Amino acid sequence: MAQTGPDSELLRRIAEALERLAPAPAPVAALDAADAFIWNAEGPSLEPVPEVSRVDISLLRGVDRVRDILIDNTARFARGLPANNALLWGARGMGKSSLVKAAHAAINAPLPAKSADRLILIEIHREDIESLPRLMGLLRAQPRRALIFCDDLSFDHDDASYKSLKAVLEGGIEGRPRNVLFYATSNRRHLMPRDMMDNERSTAINPSEAVEEKVSLSDRFGLWLGFHNCSQADYLEMVEGYAAHYGLKIGKEALHAEAIEWAATRGNRSGRTAWQFIQDLAGRLGQTLD
């Protein structure tokens, strides 16, 4: 017989209070809803992205070598073969994040729309890196393979969240799930500001050991793919590729002259500069970029 009276009411209230204090169960990821998601650490939840903002991989010029390496690494991962976490580092605007998104699309392109073999791309924001172990734990139980992608990853002074990243990339008792790979982009090769590392050297009892923990973060990435400032020839090749792809009605000589002037006013030649010029040019020509 169920207990009644003041004592049972008190027990019921205690039980309800404990339920409210208990952590929410891990969200069930509906990974068949899309091929791309954004990780919402506060939810926590995986929010589907119906259409990823990206460019076709054929339009990424001047990065042929790193493009081929990343495509090969991603293809091996998609086939269930060993593959490395990748750090794409270097010059601003040279297509680091564009290459990650384009590689994901290129691997999925030949596969049927609803195939379970299609790779998932999950973007995690820099400020949510501390929740990365939870995300990887959630994906570990899923059958589909996932690329976790963090754009513009770096760590500042007194930022200890890099330890979470170190633990899940290669360390920890569980290790990285076999169905998960981590790609990151950064302007810094070692993900830490140079003055931070220099300060560690100058103030530590053993300078080399003090810096080692921070530098070793980059060592967790099996692939270091460097992106460097492009030459004028590479820049013009990018501009020509975009113009041809979108059918912009302008002669080659005029295209080059305007593109060079545009880069000069920006003080920079890069893939991003080329794309910004193409957007300006298309607008002036009254053409859309569809």
Side-chain angles (χ1 to χ4, degrees):
M1 180 180 295
Q3 187 177 7
T4 60
D7 290 343
S8 63
E9 175 63 19
L10 177 60
L11 290 174
R12 184 186 65 79
R13 290 167 60 187
I14 291 174
E16 291 176 351
L18 290 173
E19 288 178 359
R20 289 193 296 270
L21 290 174
V28 176
L31 296 183
D32 57 347
D35 285 336
F37 299 83
I38 294 177
W39 171 244
N40 177 2
E42 293 185 358
S45 62
L46 287 166
E47 300 175 357
V49 179
E51 184 175 353
V52 177
S53 175
R54 57 183 157 212
V55 298
D56 189 88
I57 200 163
S58 65
L59 295 176
L60 298 177
R61 308 295 177 88
V63 292
D64 295 10
R65 180 176 176 275
V66 293
R67 177 201 63 202
D68 293 345
I69 293 173
L70 191 70
I71 286 287
D72 179 64
N73 190 68
T74 309
R76 284 190 277 113
F77 172 65
R79 297 198 303 270
L81 297 173
N84 279 304
N85 301 309
L87 174 63
L88 290 70
W89 66 275
R92 295 177 292 107
M94 282 304 296
K96 297 185 293 295
S97 60
S98 294
L99 180 55
V100 172
K101 292 182 286 186
H104 169 253
I107 297 303
N108 281 348
L111 299 174
K114 296 297 183 180
S115 172
D117 293 330
R118 292 172 70 88
L119 285 181
I120 303 166
L121 182 66
I122 300 175
E123 182 175 13
I124 182 171
H125 297 141
R126 158 67 190 85
E127 57 270 20
D128 294 330
I129 282 295
E130 283 189 317
S131 69
L132 185 56
R134 186 170 189 180
L135 172 58
M136 285 199 170
L138 175 66
L139 295 172
R140 188 184 298 273
Q142 302 296 326
R144 293 187 67 180
R145 296 185 173 274
L147 289 175
I148 299 180
F149 167 53
C150 185
D151 191 24
D152 198 20
L153 179 63
S154 62
F155 299 93
D156 297 321
H157 299 273
D158 303 322
D159 187 346
S161 62
Y162 71 91
K163 295 180 180 179
S164 298
L165 179 56
K166 283 180 63 176
V168 299
L169 288 182
E170 295 295 345
I173 191 170
E174 290 185 301
R176 171 170 56 86
R178 293 185 178 181
N179 64 329
V180 176
L181 208 59
F182 187 81
Y183 286 176
T185 70
S186 178
N187 295 333
R188 303 169 181 167
R189 184 173 184 177
H190 290 297
L191 302 178
M192 303 287 181
R194 175 57 57 184
D195 61 335
M196 179 180 180
M197 294 166 61
D198 290 341
N199 183 63
E200 292 284 354
R201 287 192 179 97
S202 64
T203 59
I205 295 175
N206 190 325
S208 61
E209 290 184 2
V211 176
E212 180 65 23
E213 182 181 13
K214 295 176 173 58
V215 174
S216 66
L217 174 58
S218 296
D219 292 340
R220 297 299 199 277
F221 293 89
L223 286 182
W224 286 11
L225 301 179
F227 290 69
H228 309 286
N229 291 318
C230 65
S231 65
Q232 180 165 292
D234 287 337
Y235 169 68
L236 292 177
E237 183 183 356
M238 295 172 189
V239 169
E240 288 180 10
Y242 281 129
H245 180 79
Y246 292 108
L248 299 185
K249 298 177 176 61
I250 184 173
K252 183 175 181 179
E253 186 175 339
L255 177 68
H256 283 195
E258 293 189 27
I260 291 171
E261 181 181 1
W262 179 272
T265 61
R266 300 298 301 269
N268 175 260
R269 288 192 301 260
S270 69
R272 180 179 296 135
T273 303
W275 174 242
Q276 291 168 343
F277 165 70
I278 288 296
Q279 292 185 95
D280 179 78
L281 177 62
R284 289 188 283 110
L285 293 175
Q287 296 183 235
T288 59
L289 298 175
D290 297 327

